[in-house]
Structure formats: structure tokens, C-alpha cells
């Protein structure tokens, strides 16, 4: 794995390797000194042209736990705000020694462009590009599902698990990456949302789409993944009446009660409480939101470790 650009490009074998390696790294988090010397001398650069809390910090913690040196770039305060291009920015951090570049960008395809352009030799990890993909989010979601539903998940896919992804599918890179990765791992994936939020090319996605959330809950999904409305990516006028959308697609306490007793609630964050999910549900025992965040560190450690193995 020289680059990690999208869930569609990962094989089942490679994704299970990431998940199994992440299980081994989970143990490190519990140590008094949660650090391994594995990437000592390796420099990792986080290039974030878009805001982030979880992904950037999680990659930085993951790299630190592996003893890598971390260079942090954020759009605000950088020379990109003076007009410097992605190419020049990436070449600049590589010239300072970065071997792995973790890129978040508002432009769909930015990570693929950086990896395929020949601008840099560094490995590229897509940390979210526009509405396209967010593969490490999908990997950490898969890791969470395996942890929740299998007592000994090593080597296992997600056969027999039904996941409903609810909300603004069209603008969500998290939905796109999860659809392809969870399907690859054997899960059944259903989408739930208004027709206005159906993604382009849905007919080629291995899913069914439901427009009535209450009806969908009759299917008793094992997990619901709630999505924030990506207002920052909706350039035209919001296509729905906001109050109707919240009424029809919010995970309320009443709707959460209709999940099977083992059913879990996921959310990639950031959460808009009271919009896509009620505060009581986000804080309930069913919610695995913070477990997703914790699993993100070990999954990103695994990605960095395996990528460095392929690059060195
Ligand atoms: N899930 C996720 O990508 O969160 P951030 O935008 O905070 O990184």
C-alpha cells in the first residue's frame, strides 16, 4: 500500500490487514508509555487545507505513538492563503523530509492528483477530499463494527451485519467510502435519506436507498450511521425545508428505541446535536461515537505502519 486514496482502491485482503494490524496496535494505547519505535526517523506531514478535529489530531497521535516526526500544516496561517499551490506546498514539505503526506482538501480528487502527478515521491493518504472519499474514516468504522459485533474479530469481515447510513449521502465522502468498504467486507449497506440527497451514480452503488426512515427501521438494522448535512458543500439553495428534513431524518429517542437490543449508533463527527441526532441518543449506551474516535488512532497507526513498509 504505497498510497491510500479511496476505499474503492483497497482490496479486501489489504483492508483486513489494516484492521488486524490495528487490533495489535490497540494494546499500545493501554500502556503507561503508549509509544513504539517503529517509525523513528520517519517524517509525516499533515496537509490540511480544510478544517478538521478528529482526523488531523488522530493522525498526529498515531504518528507520535509510532515515534515519527510530525509536520503540521493548516491552511490558515500558511502560505497557501497567499496563493501557493498544492504542488508547491507538497514539494516544500517533501523537501523538508516528509515521506508520507496526509492530505485533506476541499477539491474532490486532490489526493489522487497529488499521488499520480509525480510532484512528490512521498506516499499520500487521503484524509478527505471534497465529496469524494475519506478512506481512513471507513476503515475505523469497519474496525468499530468488527469490535462491536465479534468477540474475536481478527481475520473476520462484516458478513451478516446490516448498516443503515442516514442523511446527506450526496455530499458525504464518509458515506461513499463506507458504502464501498463495508460492502467489500461483506456487510449489507442501506442508504436512508430524501431523494434530494441521493448521490450521483447511485445505480452503480451496491446498496438500496430508502426515503422513509420510519419504514426502514422495520428492517432492524444492526447499526445506524448518522450523517451531518454538509452545508459547506451545498452551493445552490438548500433543496429542502429544513424543519421537514430534521423531522423526517433525525435519530430521535423514539426512533433509536426501535433498533434491535444489540443495535448501535455511529456518527463520524462533527455532530450537530438536535439535528441529525438527538443529544440523548448521542450520549446513550447505544452510541459508539467515542469508540470510533479511539479506533481511529489504532487504524491510522496501522495505515502509517503498513504504508511505510511499502515505501521503504
Ligand atoms: N470524521 C471527520 O473527518 O472529522 P473531522 O472533520 O473532525 O476530521
Amino acid at each position: 500500500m504505497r498510497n491510500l486514496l479511496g476505499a474503492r482502491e483497497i482490496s479486501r485482503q489489504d483492508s483486513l490487514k489494516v484492521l488486524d494490524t490495528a487490533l495489535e496496535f490497540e494494546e499500545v494505547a493501554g500502556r503507561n508509555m503508549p509509544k513504539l519505535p517503529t517509525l523513528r526517523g520517519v517524517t509525516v506531514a499533515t496537509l490540511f487545507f480544510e478544517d478538521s478535529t478528529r482526523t488531523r489530531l488522530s493522525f498526529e497521535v498515531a504518528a507520535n505513538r509510532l515515534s515519527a516526526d510530525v509536520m503540521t500544516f493548516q491552511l490558515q496561517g500558511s502560505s497557501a492563503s497567499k496563493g501557493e499551490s498544492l504542488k508547491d506546498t507538497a514539494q516544500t514539505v517533501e523537501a523538508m523530509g516528509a515521506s508520507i503526506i496526509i492530505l485533506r482538501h476541499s477539491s474532490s480528487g486532490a489526493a489522487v492528483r497529488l499521488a499520480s502527478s509525480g510532484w512528490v515521491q512521498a506516499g499520500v493518504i487521503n484524509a478527505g477530499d471534497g465529496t469524494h472519499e475519506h478512506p481512513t474514516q471507513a476503515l475505523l468504522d469497519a474496525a468499530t463494527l468488527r469490535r462491536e459485533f465479534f468477540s474475536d474479530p481478527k481475520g473476520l469481515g462484516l458478513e451478516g451485519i446490516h448498516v443503515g447510513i442516514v442523511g446527506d449521502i450526496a455530499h458525504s465522502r464518509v458515506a461513499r467510502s463506507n458504502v464501498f468498504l463495508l460492502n467489500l467486507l461483506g456487510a449489507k449497506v442501506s442508504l436512508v435519506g430524501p431523494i434530494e440527497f441521493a448521490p450521483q451514480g447511485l445505480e452503480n452503488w451496491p446498496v438500496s436507498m430508502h426515503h422513509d426512515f420510519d419504514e426502514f427501521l422495520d428492517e432492524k438494522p444492526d447499526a445506524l450511521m448518522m450523517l451531518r448535512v454538509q452545508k459547506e458543500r451545498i452551493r445552490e439553495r438548500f433543496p429542502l425545508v429544513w424543519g421537514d428534513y430534521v423531522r423526517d431524518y433525525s435519530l430521535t429517542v423514539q426512533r433509536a428505541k426501535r433498533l434491535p437490543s444489540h443495535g448501535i449508533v455511529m456518527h463520524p463527527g462533527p455532530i450537530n446535536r438536535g439535528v441529525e441526532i438527538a443529544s440523548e441518543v448521542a450520549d446513550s449506551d447505544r452510541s459508539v461515537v467515542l469508540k470510533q474516535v479511539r479506533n481511529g488512532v489504532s487504524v491510522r497507526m496501522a495505515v502509517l505502519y503498513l504504508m511505510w513498509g511499502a515505501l521503504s
Side-chain angles (χ1 to χ4, degrees):
M1 193 167 60
R2 222 192 156 278
N3 300 297
L4 177 57
L5 304 175
R8 274 197 248 210
E9 280 93 55
I10 319 177
S11 66
R12 181 180 166 106
Q13 192 185 4
D14 279 351
S15 50
L16 287 177
K17 199 167 181 183
V18 171
L19 299 179
D20 289 345
T21 306
L23 282 176
E24 289 171 30
F25 283 135
E26 266 179 32
E27 176 267 326
V28 176
R31 294 186 190 172
N32 283 343
M33 176 74 83
K35 220 165 167 106
L36 295 170
T38 321
L39 294 190
R40 190 174 284 156
V42 179
T43 301
V44 169
T46 53
L47 293 196
F48 276 60
F49 289 82
E50 251 194 2
D51 294 342
S52 166
T53 297
R54 278 148 289 273
T55 312
R56 186 173 61 77
L57 293 177
S58 165
F59 264 117
E60 289 175 6
V61 171
N64 280 320
R65 287 208 176 141
L66 294 171
S67 303
D69 295 316
V70 181
M71 259 192 248
T72 301
F73 162 99
Q74 284 172 277
L75 179 59
Q76 218 169 21
S78 79
S79 287
S81 65
K82 301 177 207 162
E84 189 166 33
S85 66
L86 172 60
K87 173 183 172 178
D88 290 330
T89 306
Q91 288 182 337
T92 298
V93 297
E94 187 172 59
M96 288 185 227
S99 302
I100 297 177
I101 294 177
I102 300 157
L103 178 68
R104 171 166 287 194
H105 206 283
S106 57
S107 175
S108 300
V112 173
R113 177 106 177 97
L114 180 60
S116 60
S117 59
W119 294 336
V120 290
Q121 301 309 307
V124 177
I125 300 174
N126 182 1
D129 61 328
T131 59
H132 178 227
E133 283 243 27
H134 192 351
T136 58
Q137 178 69 45
L139 284 162
L140 76 86
D141 290 336
T144 305
L145 287 162
R146 286 205 324 169
R147 264 262 164 257
E148 290 302 306
F149 291 116
F150 304 118
S151 54
D152 182 10
K154 195 164 172 25
L156 297 181
L158 293 171
E159 281 76 13
I161 308 294
H162 183 191
V163 182
I165 304 181
V166 186
D168 176 8
I169 313 291
H171 304 98
S172 173
R173 54 199 179 201
V174 171
R176 192 173 298 264
S177 289
N178 265 299
V179 162
F180 289 100
L181 184 75
L182 300 186
N183 178 260
L184 181 74
L185 292 173
K188 175 180 173 185
V189 182
S190 301
L191 304 179
V192 184
I195 190 82
E196 290 82 355
F197 284 164
Q200 274 185 359
L202 175 64
E203 60 283 4
N204 300 319
W205 289 23
V207 293
S208 55
M209 183 150 188
H210 304 253
H211 302 304
D212 188 321
F213 192 12
D214 293 305
E215 245 176 58
F216 172 70
L217 287 170
D218 289 340
E219 294 196 13
K220 301 286 175 203
D222 301 295
L224 288 177
M225 189 180 293
M226 304 308 299
L227 300 176
R228 179 177 69 85
V229 173
Q230 309 265 305
K231 282 184 172 167
E232 70 276 24
R233 303 195 200 288
I234 303 176
R235 292 207 175 82
E236 61 281 11
R237 200 172 61 84
F238 188 70
L240 296 158
V241 176
W242 184 250
D244 292 354
Y245 175 78
V246 174
R247 181 196 61 211
D248 293 344
Y249 295 103
S250 178
L251 184 57
T252 58
V253 171
Q254 290 72 24
R255 286 188 174 123
K257 278 186 186 156
R258 295 188 53 210
L259 284 168
S261 54
H262 64 268
I264 61 168
V265 174
M266 307 174 78
H267 195 305
I271 289 176
N272 285 153
R273 289 171 181 260
V275 181
E276 69 273 12
I277 187 169
S279 235
E280 297 91 320
V281 179
D283 296 333
S284 71
D285 290 345
R286 287 191 186 281
S287 168
V288 295
V289 171
L290 293 177
K291 290 181 183 172
Q292 289 172 264
V293 173
R294 266 192 292 279
N295 291 332
V297 175
S298 51
V299 162
R300 288 173 174 129
M301 286 172 80
V303 168
L304 291 171
Y305 168 76
L306 293 170
M307 185 173 286
W308 180 243
L311 288 167
S312 57

